[in-house]
Each structure stands twice: as C-alpha cells, then as structure tokens.
Amino acid sequence: MQRFDAIVIGAGAAGLFCAGVAAQRGLSVLLIDHAEKLAEKIRISGGGRCNFTNRELDPSTPQRHFIGQNPHFCRSALARYTPADFIDLVRRHGIAHHEKHKGQLFCDRSAEDIIAMLVAECSGGASGGSVVRWQPCAVKAVRHGDAGYEVDTDNGLAQAPQLVVATGALSIPKIGATDFGFRLARQFGLRLVEPRPGLVPLTFDGTAWAPFAGLAGLALPVEVSTGSGKAKTAFLEDLLFTHRGLSGPAILQISSYWKEGTPLAVDLAPGVKLADALLHAKQTASRKKIANELTAWMPSRLADAWSAGDAVLERPLADIPDKSLNALAQRIGRWELNPNGSEGYRKAEVTVGGVDTRDLSSQTMEARQQAGLFFIGEVVDVTGWLGGYNFQWAWASGFACGQALQSADTGL
Ligand code: FDA
C-alpha cells in the first residue's frame, strides 16, 4: 500500500493542473490515468493548437459563457484563477501564442507546449511536493474508510485522505472518455444532472435533409437561435453544411442549449433588411434572376437552393410579385429547422450536465456530504461556450481544489 496526501484520478486538463498546484504547495500527489497517452484531449484541441483560454471571460457574469443548472456556481473559482493568470503562466513558460476570433487564445506552435508546461508544473519545485504518475493504469475500485480513500488499481493499492475526481465526462470515448466520474459520484451519494452531448453537430431526418445534402462543405455567417422571449439564446457565427446536417461554430454553440424536439431558427442573412433589398433590386435589376441577386448575401449554391424548383421564384426578378419576395425574405431570415438529434458523444466536444453543483462547495469543489472527495473539470455540471472557456474552467476548478487540498502531515 502506498500513501499520498492526495490521489487525483484523470490526468487530463483539470487533473494535471490540480496535481501541479498541490505539488507546489508541498503535497505528495498520485495522478492516475487509464489512457496510453497523456492529456490526449489537450493534444487534439483547437485543431492541434489548443485554444487554452478566452480573454472575453468575465467571472462576474459567468452565465454569459457557461451553462449548468446553477451558472453562478463557477463564479468564485473563475474569479480566483482568471484567463490573465493562465496567460501569465503560459508566458513564464515561453510559449508563443496569439489571439484569434472573439478573445480566443491559441498556441503558435502546438498544443504539446501546453501539455509540456503542465507536466513541468508537476515537478513540485522547491516546495518538496511531488507528483507520481501511474499511466496507463486502470482503477478497479474506490473505497472509503477510517484511513481515508483506498484506490485499488492495476499498479496495486494506494491510499490518501483526499481523492480528486478529474476523469472528464463522456465526449469522445475512443480517446478514453468514460462515465467513471459519474459512477463514483453516485457511489458516494452525490446527485447528477442528466448528461447530454454539447458543442456537437446536429443531424436531420434523411428525407427532410435531402434538398440540402448537396450543400455539404458550404459555410457562411448566420445568426442561429433557440427558444423565444427571455429564454432566447442566439449566436452570430459561421454555419457549415454537412452530409447529415449542420455544424460549424454557430451550430456547435447552439447545440449546448438546444433541447430535443424543439426547433432552431437560422437567419441566413443576418443584419440585412432582405425584403427591402429585394424590392429595391426588383426596380433596378429587373431582368436578373433572384438567385443572382441573393449572391450578394450568401454563397451561390445556397442562393440557387432557395429558388430551385419554385416556378415563381425562377422568373426574372421584375416578374416576381412583391408578396413572394417578402415571403422569401422571411424564410431566409427565419429558416426554421427541426433537428432529429446530434452526432452524439462520438463527435461532441463536451458533455453538458454532470455532478450536481448543489452537492459541491463552489470554493473548493469538495463534496458537501463526503469530506475529502473533490470533483473538478468537465465531470461537474459546468459547461463553457466554444472558444477556450472549457479549458479555463478546467484550470480554475483545478486551482480551487489544488489550493484546498491539505498535507496529511502538516494540515497545510
Ligand atoms: P479531460 O477529458 O481532459 O481528462 C480526463 C482524463 O481522465 C483523461 O485523460 C481520461 O483518460 C481520464 N479518465 C477517464 N476515465 C478514466 C478512468 N476510468 N480511469 C482513469 N482515468 C480515466 N476546450 C477548450 O477550452 N478549447 C479547445 O480548443 C477545445 N477543443 C476541443 C477539441 C475536441 C476535439 C474536444 C473533444 C474537446 C475540446 N475542448 C476544448 C474541451 C476540453 O478538451 C475539455 O473541456 C477538457 O479537456 C476537460 O478537462 P478534464 O480534465 O475535465 O477532462
């Protein structure tokens, strides 16, 4: 039996970071992961360049960029470890990076730089702390008794007074995602918010989608929304047609909010007063076809798709009644779609839902009814927008927990 101050299960973004924070405070940490490769999700993230945080994150309004039954839960951790803190760390490690669209920060070279940085942070430095990593190593069982948490693994038994669950959630099973964290939460009596895939492409019924299947590969900026009134959520981003449905940042973002059985509305010409523009064009370019006119606002393949097969809309613009032009402008401005599902966890970047935040301390991530048991990162019911928000949650929750863990000897 080997003893440590803390055992962290899951050496992904949150687990690696938390282990490093604890080791630098002098703690001895055991970090266990069942996957062959270290932090594979970081490696493949951001197209291989890891979108590691977002400058637009404002911890005072977490509900703007985070979803969960209690979107305010993440406020404290996000305020105590901010994007600026992580950017400082990245700078100290000399990692070249750049800002892209909407505050998103990426490595110039490779996501490997972030992994190497997290591993270096695990060295413990002058504090005397350390991180021992068992990987690949499967966890067979977790028990809790008088001596704390006992973890039965392929490498034998390990024991610690504190156990951190950082095993992520269900997205991308082929690189090691499991429901381990959810099962462990249940084992210790914590509640779960029903998980579902988030940041995921949406699919449509084959027959209904047939007219659009030929548009696969086409991308354009749109406004996509779900819900109405105060419950309306909208994103102004790029949409991508796929063979089975829709993807691209606009769809990935809205997918985290979309509820099965409800429609989506897509404005294919956002910011354009399309009815006025078409009526004006009718007077000035009367012999033109409507599809030609629409190419001012959308790719020609899509413009063709809106008029194809409609005898009235295939006439020269001058011969199309105003009523039909108005109706077309309305349909383009509010294209109502009914997805039949999503591409699922196979393609989802995140899992929405997870360990119920009512059962965790927002200061430390410790279970309220189970001393010494912590949950951090994606396993918790906190889901960020696309754009570096999910990694920032992994760092911030890992930091909150890493700061709260105590040394078994000194109670530090
Ligand atoms: P993470 O999944 O990183 O780590 C969990 C670890 O636990 C894994 O190493 C796994 O092997 C291990 N594990 C699981 N079950 C286990 C078990 N039973 N026993 C032992 N170990 C176990 N976010 C962002 O902010 N910017 C971005 O650019 C991207 N890009 C991106 C691309 C793709 C393709 C995906 C799938 C996801 C993203 N994300 C992202 C999301 C981001 O990767 C995600 O939110 C974090 O990795 C979550 O960090 P965690 O540490 O919680 O889980």
Side-chain angles (χ1 to χ4, degrees):
M1 171 87 73
Q2 299 194 43
R3 288 194 168 75
F4 300 85
D5 290 325
I7 299 172
V8 179
I9 308 181
L16 260 175
F17 190 65
C18 175
V21 170
Q24 288 178 21
R25 294 179 50 247
L27 274 65
S28 66
V29 181
L30 171 64
L31 182 57
I32 305 174
D33 200 297
H34 68 160
E36 289 283 335
K37 284 197 192 158
L38 179 64
E40 187 62 2
K41 253 187 210 170
I42 300 181
R43 198 184 318 275
I44 62 169
S45 68
R49 293 232 161 89
C50 186
N51 175 195
F52 54 80
T53 192
N54 195 300
R55 277 191 206 279
E56 291 185 0
L57 190 159
D58 176 359
S60 65
T61 53
Q63 69 283 5
R64 268 189 65 206
H65 297 118
F66 291 89
I67 308 160
Q69 299 261 298
N70 176 8
H72 295 281
F73 173 83
C74 51
R75 185 197 301 253
S76 164
L78 290 170
R80 281 182 293 143
Y81 195 83
T82 64
D85 292 323
F86 196 77
I87 295 165
D88 267 359
L89 183 66
V90 164
R91 283 211 184 102
R92 271 187 271 130
H93 283 259
I95 299 174
H97 56 280
H98 59 279
E99 184 168 338
K100 269 190 167 168
H101 185 60
K102 298 190 177 174
Q104 303 170 0
L105 291 182
F106 288 80
C107 297
D108 285 357
R109 203 188 71 84
S110 161
E112 302 272 0
D113 291 345
I114 297 292
I115 301 174
M117 176 188 86
L118 296 173
V119 171
E121 286 288 304
C122 282
S123 74
S127 68
S130 62
V131 178
V132 172
R133 187 151 54 89
W134 289 358
Q135 184 170 10
C137 174
V139 174
K140 295 187 233 170
V142 173
R143 293 177 282 273
H144 182 248
D146 292 343
Y149 293 89
E150 191 178 282
V151 181
D152 188 0
T153 78
D154 281 354
N155 278 14
L157 287 177
Q159 200 182 58
Q162 299 154 112
L163 178 68
V164 181
V165 183
T167 45
L170 306 173
S171 321
I172 325 275
K174 83 166 185 255
I175 58 166
T178 66
D179 66 351
F180 178 89
F182 297 161
R183 281 189 277 119
L184 204 78
R186 269 195 222 104
Q187 178 185 334
F188 286 100
L190 282 83
R191 289 168 284 186
L192 290 180
V193 174
E194 183 67 22
R196 62 190 161 88
L199 299 180
V200 64
L202 296 176
T203 55
F204 295 84
D205 173 72
T207 342
W209 197 246
F212 307 104
L215 298 175
L218 195 109
L220 75 159
V222 302
E223 187 189 90
V224 60
S225 61
T226 179
S228 58
K230 278 197 173 161
K232 179 177 164 175
T233 306
F235 290 96
L236 195 58
E237 282 282 4
D238 279 3
L239 168 146
L240 173 71
F241 284 84
T242 70
H243 289 288
R244 282 160 46 87
L246 294 172
S247 185
I251 295 300
L252 299 184
Q253 294 280 40
I254 208 76
S255 72
S256 299
Y257 291 85
W258 174 71
K259 302 266 166 21
E260 283 211 46
T262 64
L264 290 181
V266 178
D267 181 348
L268 291 164
V272 179
K273 289 195 167 137
L274 198 57
D276 292 352
L278 289 177
L279 292 172
H280 177 72
K282 178 175 169 176
Q283 282 148 20
T284 53
S286 59
R287 300 319 300 166
K288 264 193 176 175
K289 287 283 173 92
I290 187 118
N292 291 342
E293 206 52 53
L294 288 175
T295 56
W297 303 289
M298 63 180 68
S300 58
R301 275 161 72 204
L302 184 59
D304 287 340
W306 282 104
S307 50
D310 184 322
V312 176
L313 294 178
E314 282 181 347
R315 292 187 210 150
L317 203 47
D319 301 341
I320 303 178
D322 289 359
K323 206 171 84 184
S324 302
L325 287 179
N326 275 321
L328 176 68
Q330 262 201 349
R331 287 207 314 275
I332 292 176
R334 194 178 164 80
W335 184 27
E336 281 232 350
L337 289 159
N338 287 292
N340 69 354
S342 78
E343 294 281 4
Y345 291 116
R346 201 173 51 88
K347 290 263 178 86
E349 282 199 14
V350 290
T351 301
V352 182
V355 175
D356 194 321
T357 54
R358 288 176 299 175
D359 292 340
L360 299 176
S361 152
S362 63
Q363 303 293 310
T364 63
M365 307 294 135
E366 189 174 11
R368 289 187 185 283
Q369 307 295 335
Q370 179 67 39
L373 180 65
F374 299 74
F375 289 84
I376 57 174
E378 198 179 322
V379 71
V380 179
D381 175 31
V382 171
T383 306
W385 280 14
L386 192 74
Y389 295 97
N390 285 298
F391 278 140
Q392 188 59 37
W393 169 245
W395 319 137
S397 57
F399 182 81
C401 171
Q403 287 285 330
L405 292 172
Q406 297 186 356
S407 156
D409 297 329
T410 61
L412 255 184

